[in-house]
Amino acid sequence: MKITFNGQVMECNAQSLQAFISATDAKEPYAVALNGQFVPRSQCQSTILSEGDSIELLSPIQGG
């Protein structure tokens, strides 16, 4: 299925949001939004992806 990840359309075979995040090798801490809605990490495993979903994975930026 096609999804949009951080603004780029890509093919995705992951069924859950957690599986997708794991495939990206994301390092904690991060926040994730699906279709513009924040998804708590406790719900990523049970969140099923669908064709056309948009995922944003954000990492904090440190600096002064």
Side-chain angles (χ1 to χ4, degrees):
M1 78 180 113
K2 289 186 179 182
I3 62 161
T4 302
F5 176 58
N6 287 350
Q8 295 187 342
V9 177
M10 61 186 304
E11 286 290 328
C12 170
N13 293 324
Q15 298 298 310
S16 73
L17 184 55
Q18 184 60 57
F20 179 82
I21 293 169
S22 295
T24 66
D25 292 328
K27 305 286 187 245
E28 292 189 32
Y30 56 78
V32 62
L34 178 64
N35 300 323
Q37 299 292 317
F38 170 73
V39 179
R41 286 190 202 158
S42 62
Q43 295 180 11
C44 287
Q45 186 66 42
S46 62
T47 300
I48 303 301
L49 297 178
S50 300
E51 177 79 26
D53 278 344
S54 178
I55 300 168
E56 296 289 333
L57 188 65
L58 309 167
S59 297
I61 297 173
Q62 296 181 350

